[in-house]
Amino acid sequence: MAAACLSVDDLCVNFGGLRAVDHVSFAIESGRIHGLIGPNGAGKTTIFNCVTGFYRPTSGRVRFLEHDITGFRPDQVAKLGIARTFQNVQLFASLSVLDNVLVAKHGHMRTGVLAEGLGLPFVRKQEHAVRDTAFGLLDFLGLADLHRKPAASLPLGHQKRLELARALALEPKLLLLDEPASGLNTSETQALGEMLGRVRERFALTVLLVEHDMGLVMNVTDVITVLNFGRKIAEGTPKDVQNDPEVIKAYLGETAGAGRG
Amino acid sequence: MKRLLTIVGLLVLLGGVAVCAAEDGVTDKEVVIGAGLDLTGAVANWGVNIKAGMDAVFSRVNAAGGVHGRKIRLIAYDHVYQPPKAVTNAKRLVERDKIFVMMGHLGTPTTKAVMDYLQDKQVPNIFPATLASIWTNSGKYHVGDLATYADQTGLIVDYLVKERKIRKIASFYQDDEYGLDGHLAGKARLKHTHDLAYVAEVDYKRADIDFSSQAAKLKESGADAVIVQAVYREPPRLAEQCHAIGYNPVFIGPSPIVVAKTIELGGKHVEGLMGVEVYPLPTDPGAFLDQYRADMAKYAPSLPIDTTNLYGYQKAAVFVEAMQRAGRNLTRDSVLKAIESIKDWDPGWGLKYGYGGDNRRGMSNAGRLVTVKDGKWIKVGDWMELKEVGRK
Amino acid sequence: MTEILSSQVVSGLATGCVYALIALGFVLIFKATDVVNFAQGEFVMVSGFISYTLLIGLGIHYGLVLLATIVLSGVMGVVLERVVVRPIMDAPIFSIVIATIGASIVLRSSAGILYGYDVLPLPTIFSKDPIRVGFVQFTAMDAGVIGFSLVIMVALYLFFKLTRTGTAMRATAQSQTAARLMGVSVTRIFSLTWAISAAIGGVAGVLIAPIIYLDPNLGFIGVKAFAGAILGGFGSIPGAIVGGMLLGVIENLSGYFFNAGIKQVSTYILLILVLVIRPAGLFGAAPIRKV
Ligand SMILES: Nc1ncnc2c1ncn2[C@@H]1O[C@H](COP(=O)(O)OP(=O)(O)OP(=O)(O)O)[C@@H](O)[C@H]1O
Ligand SMILES: [Mg+2]
């Protein structure tokens, strides 16, 4: 097996009496797009939150490359190279599109507040470089023309792309995407799928994708882990998973129309 | 059995009488005196110093064995120059600490707030540190000591009109019982004695931080003199803001502004400021003042001698004199009577105290004009007998 | 008439600028951390005493004193956040607000114990002599206060707009979750926010203490500034600035046209009027529910 980029070992998360994640283990190989699926409330977002440091797992460990990141703070996790998007878009609403991306570059600058305030030359040089990369990203995602607009004024599809641009600006090694297609129509979803492919190529990323749109998941992922009620019920290639009776049982009724688009 | 009951009954009765007879705050060895002062608020400079002055007298007296064998203990609480706090403090002093008398209670609005309460409890309000005229005509429990703000303002008005030939006079006053005392007295004096009226009446609140609107109104009135019914914080700032708009009238006010702090705060802007002094300067000669300077050096070495602590010092000195006169049998009535027995009494500074009958104004109404010259208060005139001025 | 009125406006603006600076401090902390810091006025008071000590006690040059006061005041903000607020950051906001009130009482009493409750004059480089420009008359002090405040406000604006840290601070105010994820250390941003708020409070102190004198109760000016911040729409930075300035001018004009009583309540009358017409304040956005 190739080196694991992220591995989750025997993870448990309790909320009061509720066990949202129940002894889940899986590993993602570097360079893969790994799907994490399951019905509503299965614990997908909770796992994201544990990986990115928003929740502290009740037990179990999270490893990223050579680091044990269990219990790390979100900003520490981010600095190690994990970026994510949110199920409900979390942009800096009144900041401009460009500033949203620049925030991600904050941690990459090696300057103090004082040097910045004084506008020292070396700071300015860094500043220019940072701006160029940010513009490059916006261009890549087709948002360059909108860079002055406040993020909140963008339509949802653009907001989702901006969130992606912002995540990419962190220059992550691992990208966690929480339902990137939710709220998008069919053609937008298709475009997103193509975009993901290009992103992986260009940035040499590992991706963990949570998604309810089965078409998208089956298309782009290499491996899929399936959760139900906090427990892992299946894992394998899209084809394997699709035919797994447990998975079909778990999804029964959902595919019939209760699924979220 | 019946006899026993009678005896017990008698004892209880006698005991009751005995308890009634002993005044609150007086034991064989001690007299407890209360004071409500501003120790941390807007006029804390006055409060802290008055307390130090009183403490200096009491410490010296106690060191020499007390008055008729009783040591004097002063309990002072901080009312922050806020009337509601003053009331709470007064209740604590009277009901919990069982004080014999209230002495040197600071501030006109604050003392007015506790006036009725002290009256109800029949606790004498001796020499409150406020010279509002109300303490000279409110019955036997309230005993003022020096020339009132009203009397002082009478002196100011007469001086401005007669000596300086100024007819356009404005009033700048604190909008409370303190400021109104002199303000209204000045208005009456102008009208009845000189057939004049203020050309502007401009008020301020204790919490005000900017006097530029007041300065503008005074300037517009064209007043050549402004009577400042204020304490030490305000005259410097008013003067600054008047000067800023190119307006330079004569500023003159009653005794609360005649302190070193006014000059410290105002610097060159208070050069020429005039005030009324109702007791000698702390630097004046005289046996009483020598004693004052020695006591301050001994008991309050960290404080410079100043009008403010001399104010408290002279109150305590007169009170000690009254306790001496009251004798060993000390009651509230006997001490009030003793104060009234003081007539033509000079503690040793050339000015005499005199009470009697309805006159509840201690020192012989003395006042003299002073002014700021080269950063110091100096006298302009001699001591004068001030005529009583009503507020009508 | 216009002459007097215009000088009234100028001197009102000077006081208003100081309100605005303090109001800015309130708003910055509130935006970043949802905490209303009732010790904001105490930054003004303490910085007054800091500069008094440096200037009178140690006889240091005024320019250095100014700089040192602002820096020390900022340090005080950081310490306050560290010691008082951070340990209870997970407690209900109400408890944190109470803790800041406690801190303000402690600071006030400490100043009283150290320096006494007497008013002290604080020297300034700005003279209080009159200046005339056209028909407007004011003092160098007024001009200095207004000028200095504006410089601080512009500097802050540029800092927030142009620097990376400033952007990170704005981002944190919008979404702590996302900011964390972008590698922004939110705790560091909080510290910095407190430092900046306290430093601006320090500037306000150095400007106002020479005018209204220095004493441990100086911090009560924070109450007025708080009203200014609400007037502008609590949480809005331009609102804090305009609200504070407006308050200073209105106070002065109402004192000029009416009397001290009206002047005293004018603040609150204005506040109520504005809140009735625009409940979110002059610049406040209508409350947005977070999803
Ligand atoms: N902070 C929390 N406090 C309490 N319960 C929580 C919390 N976060 C999640 N849960 C619960 O944990 C369970 C898993 O939630 P989670 O959001 O991880 O599901 P999900 O798989 O992401 O679902 P969806 O597809 O709807 O996004 C749910 O029952 C949810 O209500
Ligand atoms: Mg979810």
Side-chain angles (χ1 to χ4, degrees), chain C residues 213-245:
Chain C
Y213 311 131
L214 183 57
D215 72 287
N217 295 317
L218 182 61
F220 283 113
I221 192 177
V223 177
K224 287 264 181 69
F226 185 60
I230 294 178
L231 189 64
F234 207 79
S236 156
I237 287 179
I241 294 174
V242 174
M245 290 187 182

mmCIF file of all heavy atoms in Angstrom, chain C residues 213-245:
data_model
loop_
_atom_site.group_PDB
_atom_site.id
_atom_site.type_symbol
_atom_site.label_atom_id
_atom_site.label_comp_id
_atom_site.label_asym_id
_atom_site.label_seq_id
_atom_site.Cartn_x
_atom_site.Cartn_y
_atom_site.Cartn_z
ATOM 1 N N TYR C 213 -8.409 67.043 32.755
ATOM 2 C CA TYR C 213 -7.608 66.655 33.924
ATOM 3 C C TYR C 213 -7.679 65.165 34.189
ATOM 4 O O TYR C 213 -8.552 64.463 33.727
ATOM 5 C CB TYR C 213 -8.002 67.447 35.176
ATOM 6 C CG TYR C 213 -8.090 68.912 34.949
ATOM 7 C CD1 TYR C 213 -9.193 69.640 35.367
ATOM 8 C CD2 TYR C 213 -7.069 69.580 34.260
ATOM 9 C CE1 TYR C 213 -9.282 71.003 35.130
ATOM 10 C CE2 TYR C 213 -7.150 70.929 34.021
ATOM 11 C CZ TYR C 213 -8.263 71.640 34.444
ATOM 12 O OH TYR C 213 -8.346 72.970 34.195
ATOM 13 N N LEU C 214 -6.720 64.774 34.979
ATOM 14 C CA LEU C 214 -6.497 63.357 35.211
ATOM 15 C C LEU C 214 -6.948 62.972 36.606
ATOM 16 O O LEU C 214 -6.543 63.608 37.576
ATOM 17 C CB LEU C 214 -4.990 63.123 35.059
ATOM 18 C CG LEU C 214 -4.468 61.717 35.180
ATOM 19 C CD1 LEU C 214 -5.152 60.825 34.165
ATOM 20 C CD2 LEU C 214 -2.967 61.729 34.953
ATOM 21 N N ASP C 215 -7.807 61.984 36.708
ATOM 22 C CA ASP C 215 -8.074 61.393 38.007
ATOM 23 C C ASP C 215 -8.609 59.995 37.780
ATOM 24 O O ASP C 215 -8.937 59.634 36.649
ATOM 25 C CB ASP C 215 -9.021 62.271 38.848
ATOM 26 C CG ASP C 215 -10.439 62.239 38.343
ATOM 27 O OD1 ASP C 215 -10.710 62.835 37.286
ATOM 28 O OD2 ASP C 215 -11.283 61.618 39.005
ATOM 29 N N PRO C 216 -8.680 59.164 38.827
ATOM 30 C CA PRO C 216 -9.055 57.765 38.620
ATOM 31 C C PRO C 216 -10.452 57.598 38.031
ATOM 32 O O PRO C 216 -10.780 56.540 37.529
ATOM 33 C CB PRO C 216 -8.980 57.170 40.028
ATOM 34 C CG PRO C 216 -7.998 58.020 40.737
ATOM 35 C CD PRO C 216 -8.218 59.411 40.212
ATOM 36 N N ASN C 217 -11.264 58.641 38.083
ATOM 37 C CA ASN C 217 -12.607 58.524 37.532
ATOM 38 C C ASN C 217 -12.690 58.932 36.062
ATOM 39 O O ASN C 217 -13.775 58.981 35.485
ATOM 40 C CB ASN C 217 -13.585 59.360 38.360
ATOM 41 C CG ASN C 217 -13.711 58.829 39.770
ATOM 42 O OD1 ASN C 217 -13.805 57.625 39.971
ATOM 43 N ND2 ASN C 217 -13.653 59.712 40.746
ATOM 44 N N LEU C 218 -11.551 59.225 35.473
ATOM 45 C CA LEU C 218 -11.525 59.664 34.074
ATOM 46 C C LEU C 218 -12.186 58.643 33.153
ATOM 47 O O LEU C 218 -12.775 58.988 32.138
ATOM 48 C CB LEU C 218 -10.073 59.900 33.643
ATOM 49 C CG LEU C 218 -9.831 60.406 32.229
ATOM 50 C CD1 LEU C 218 -10.492 61.759 32.017
ATOM 51 C CD2 LEU C 218 -8.337 60.510 31.941
ATOM 52 N N GLY C 219 -12.091 57.360 33.541
ATOM 53 C CA GLY C 219 -12.620 56.291 32.695
ATOM 54 C C GLY C 219 -14.116 56.377 32.430
ATOM 55 O O GLY C 219 -14.617 55.763 31.507
ATOM 56 N N PHE C 220 -14.814 57.155 33.243
ATOM 57 C CA PHE C 220 -16.261 57.255 33.050
ATOM 58 C C PHE C 220 -16.620 57.908 31.727
ATOM 59 O O PHE C 220 -17.759 57.849 31.269
ATOM 60 C CB PHE C 220 -16.927 57.994 34.209
ATOM 61 C CG PHE C 220 -17.056 57.133 35.427
ATOM 62 C CD1 PHE C 220 -16.344 57.410 36.581
ATOM 63 C CD2 PHE C 220 -17.872 55.999 35.403
ATOM 64 C CE1 PHE C 220 -16.442 56.593 37.687
ATOM 65 C CE2 PHE C 220 -17.976 55.186 36.509
ATOM 66 C CZ PHE C 220 -17.269 55.482 37.663
ATOM 67 N N ILE C 221 -15.646 58.527 31.087
ATOM 68 C CA ILE C 221 -15.875 59.088 29.759
ATOM 69 C C ILE C 221 -16.262 57.957 28.796
ATOM 70 O O ILE C 221 -16.910 58.185 27.769
ATOM 71 C CB ILE C 221 -14.621 59.840 29.264
ATOM 72 C CG1 ILE C 221 -14.981 60.666 28.034
ATOM 73 C CG2 ILE C 221 -13.476 58.890 28.987
ATOM 74 C CD1 ILE C 221 -13.841 61.503 27.518
ATOM 75 N N GLY C 222 -15.879 56.740 29.166
ATOM 76 C CA GLY C 222 -16.232 55.580 28.351
ATOM 77 C C GLY C 222 -17.736 55.412 28.171
ATOM 78 O O GLY C 222 -18.200 54.908 27.156
ATOM 79 N N VAL C 223 -18.499 55.849 29.167
ATOM 80 C CA VAL C 223 -19.956 55.709 29.088
ATOM 81 C C VAL C 223 -20.498 56.534 27.914
ATOM 82 O O VAL C 223 -21.330 56.075 27.131
ATOM 83 C CB VAL C 223 -20.607 56.172 30.411
ATOM 84 C CG1 VAL C 223 -22.121 56.089 30.309
ATOM 85 C CG2 VAL C 223 -20.101 55.325 31.569
ATOM 86 N N LYS C 224 -19.964 57.758 27.800
ATOM 87 C CA LYS C 224 -20.385 58.627 26.689
ATOM 88 C C LYS C 224 -19.993 58.000 25.364
ATOM 89 O O LYS C 224 -20.769 57.961 24.418
ATOM 90 C CB LYS C 224 -19.712 60.001 26.808
ATOM 91 C CG LYS C 224 -20.270 60.873 27.910
ATOM 92 C CD LYS C 224 -21.310 61.820 27.338
ATOM 93 C CE LYS C 224 -21.875 62.741 28.410
ATOM 94 N NZ LYS C 224 -20.895 63.691 28.882
ATOM 95 N N ALA C 225 -18.762 57.522 25.316
ATOM 96 C CA ALA C 225 -18.265 56.944 24.070
ATOM 97 C C ALA C 225 -19.087 55.723 23.685
ATOM 98 O O ALA C 225 -19.368 55.497 22.507
ATOM 99 C CB ALA C 225 -16.798 56.554 24.226
ATOM 100 N N PHE C 226 -19.497 54.971 24.684
ATOM 101 C CA PHE C 226 -20.329 53.800 24.444
ATOM 102 C C PHE C 226 -21.638 54.230 23.782
ATOM 103 O O PHE C 226 -22.090 53.627 22.805
ATOM 104 C CB PHE C 226 -20.598 53.096 25.780
ATOM 105 C CG PHE C 226 -21.353 51.805 25.655
ATOM 106 C CD1 PHE C 226 -20.834 50.764 24.909
ATOM 107 C CD2 PHE C 226 -22.570 51.638 26.284
ATOM 108 C CE1 PHE C 226 -21.522 49.563 24.795
ATOM 109 C CE2 PHE C 226 -23.265 50.446 26.184
ATOM 110 C CZ PHE C 226 -22.743 49.409 25.441
ATOM 111 N N ALA C 227 -22.206 55.313 24.309
ATOM 112 C CA ALA C 227 -23.420 55.852 23.700
ATOM 113 C C ALA C 227 -23.149 56.244 22.251
ATOM 114 O O ALA C 227 -23.971 56.010 21.364
ATOM 115 C CB ALA C 227 -23.925 57.050 24.499
ATOM 116 N N GLY C 228 -21.980 56.817 22.014
ATOM 117 C CA GLY C 228 -21.602 57.195 20.647
ATOM 118 C C GLY C 228 -21.542 55.976 19.736
ATOM 119 O O GLY C 228 -22.011 56.016 18.596
ATOM 120 N N ALA C 229 -20.993 54.900 20.273
ATOM 121 C CA ALA C 229 -20.872 53.676 19.474
ATOM 122 C C ALA C 229 -22.247 53.122 19.129
ATOM 123 O O ALA C 229 -22.490 52.665 18.011
ATOM 124 C CB ALA C 229 -20.063 52.632 20.231
ATOM 125 N N ILE C 230 -23.163 53.192 20.086
ATOM 126 C CA ILE C 230 -24.519 52.685 19.832
ATOM 127 C C ILE C 230 -25.219 53.573 18.815
ATOM 128 O O ILE C 230 -25.899 53.107 17.905
ATOM 129 C CB ILE C 230 -25.330 52.622 21.141
ATOM 130 C CG1 ILE C 230 -24.703 51.590 22.066
ATOM 131 C CG2 ILE C 230 -26.775 52.272 20.853
ATOM 132 C CD1 ILE C 230 -25.391 51.488 23.400
ATOM 133 N N LEU C 231 -24.998 54.873 18.971
ATOM 134 C CA LEU C 231 -25.579 55.839 18.047
ATOM 135 C C LEU C 231 -25.193 55.489 16.616
ATOM 136 O O LEU C 231 -26.001 55.501 15.698
ATOM 137 C CB LEU C 231 -25.051 57.226 18.411
ATOM 138 C CG LEU C 231 -25.669 58.426 17.729
ATOM 139 C CD1 LEU C 231 -27.123 58.530 18.133
ATOM 140 C CD2 LEU C 231 -24.931 59.687 18.153
ATOM 141 N N GLY C 232 -23.928 55.172 16.431
ATOM 142 C CA GLY C 232 -23.439 54.867 15.091
ATOM 143 C C GLY C 232 -23.852 53.485 14.617
ATOM 144 O O GLY C 232 -23.708 53.166 13.441
ATOM 145 N N GLY C 233 -24.349 52.683 15.528
ATOM 146 C CA GLY C 233 -24.693 51.310 15.156
ATOM 147 C C GLY C 233 -23.609 50.423 15.720
ATOM 148 O O GLY C 233 -22.546 50.296 15.122
ATOM 149 N N PHE C 234 -23.856 49.813 16.886
ATOM 150 C CA PHE C 234 -22.797 49.096 17.563
ATOM 151 C C PHE C 234 -22.283 47.977 16.666
ATOM 152 O O PHE C 234 -23.055 47.178 16.155
ATOM 153 C CB PHE C 234 -23.301 48.530 18.899
ATOM 154 C CG PHE C 234 -22.210 48.362 19.888
ATOM 155 C CD1 PHE C 234 -21.750 49.464 20.592
ATOM 156 C CD2 PHE C 234 -21.623 47.134 20.103
ATOM 157 C CE1 PHE C 234 -20.725 49.323 21.507
ATOM 158 C CE2 PHE C 234 -20.599 46.996 21.008
ATOM 159 C CZ PHE C 234 -20.145 48.095 21.707
ATOM 160 N N GLY C 235 -20.994 47.946 16.442
ATOM 161 C CA GLY C 235 -20.437 46.931 15.560
ATOM 162 C C GLY C 235 -19.979 47.529 14.242
ATOM 163 O O GLY C 235 -19.288 46.893 13.482
ATOM 164 N N SER C 236 -20.347 48.790 14.003
ATOM 165 C CA SER C 236 -19.898 49.413 12.762
ATOM 166 C C SER C 236 -18.752 50.372 13.049
ATOM 167 O O SER C 236 -18.856 51.232 13.924
ATOM 168 C CB SER C 236 -21.055 50.177 12.121
ATOM 169 O OG SER C 236 -20.559 51.186 11.276
ATOM 170 N N ILE C 237 -17.658 50.232 12.319
ATOM 171 C CA ILE C 237 -16.503 51.091 12.568
ATOM 172 C C ILE C 237 -16.749 52.530 12.117
ATOM 173 O O ILE C 237 -16.552 53.459 12.898
ATOM 174 C CB ILE C 237 -15.233 50.478 11.942
ATOM 175 C CG1 ILE C 237 -14.838 49.274 12.798
ATOM 176 C CG2 ILE C 237 -14.100 51.488 11.876
ATOM 177 C CD1 ILE C 237 -13.631 48.531 12.315
ATOM 178 N N PRO C 238 -17.240 52.740 10.886
ATOM 179 C CA PRO C 238 -17.569 54.119 10.528
ATOM 180 C C PRO C 238 -18.630 54.672 11.472
ATOM 181 O O PRO C 238 -18.619 55.853 11.820
ATOM 182 C CB PRO C 238 -18.125 54.033 9.105
ATOM 183 C CG PRO C 238 -17.915 52.652 8.647
ATOM 184 C CD PRO C 238 -17.494 51.802 9.778
ATOM 185 N N GLY C 239 -19.522 53.803 11.915
ATOM 186 C CA GLY C 239 -20.581 54.214 12.833
ATOM 187 C C GLY C 239 -20.001 54.741 14.131
ATOM 188 O O GLY C 239 -20.440 55.764 14.655
ATOM 189 N N ALA C 240 -18.991 54.065 14.663
ATOM 190 C CA ALA C 240 -18.374 54.493 15.918
ATOM 191 C C ALA C 240 -17.756 55.872 15.750
ATOM 192 O O ALA C 240 -17.885 56.744 16.621
ATOM 193 C CB ALA C 240 -17.312 53.488 16.346
ATOM 194 N N ILE C 241 -17.111 56.075 14.610
ATOM 195 C CA ILE C 241 -16.437 57.349 14.389
ATOM 196 C C ILE C 241 -17.449 58.478 14.241
ATOM 197 O O ILE C 241 -17.390 59.490 14.940
ATOM 198 C CB ILE C 241 -15.523 57.259 13.146
ATOM 199 C CG1 ILE C 241 -14.390 56.262 13.424
ATOM 200 C CG2 ILE C 241 -14.983 58.629 12.780
ATOM 201 C CD1 ILE C 241 -13.518 55.966 12.247
ATOM 202 N N VAL C 242 -18.429 58.256 13.361
ATOM 203 C CA VAL C 242 -19.432 59.302 13.139
ATOM 204 C C VAL C 242 -20.273 59.498 14.404
ATOM 205 O O VAL C 242 -20.538 60.633 14.811
ATOM 206 C CB VAL C 242 -20.328 58.940 11.935
ATOM 207 C CG1 VAL C 242 -21.460 59.943 11.796
ATOM 208 C CG2 VAL C 242 -19.490 58.901 10.666
ATOM 209 N N GLY C 243 -20.655 58.405 15.043
ATOM 210 C CA GLY C 243 -21.459 58.493 16.257
ATOM 211 C C GLY C 243 -20.752 59.295 17.333
ATOM 212 O O GLY C 243 -21.332 60.183 17.954
ATOM 213 N N GLY C 244 -19.472 59.002 17.554
ATOM 214 C CA GLY C 244 -18.706 59.717 18.572
ATOM 215 C C GLY C 244 -18.604 61.197 18.260
ATOM 216 O O GLY C 244 -18.857 62.062 19.117
ATOM 217 N N MET C 245 -18.267 61.498 17.014
ATOM 218 C CA MET C 245 -18.109 62.905 16.641
ATOM 219 C C MET C 245 -19.426 63.663 16.755
ATOM 220 O O MET C 245 -19.481 64.769 17.266
ATOM 221 C CB MET C 245 -17.580 63.006 15.217
ATOM 222 C CG MET C 245 -16.139 62.562 15.086
ATOM 223 S SD MET C 245 -15.577 62.921 13.435
ATOM 224 C CE MET C 245 -13.922 62.277 13.498
#
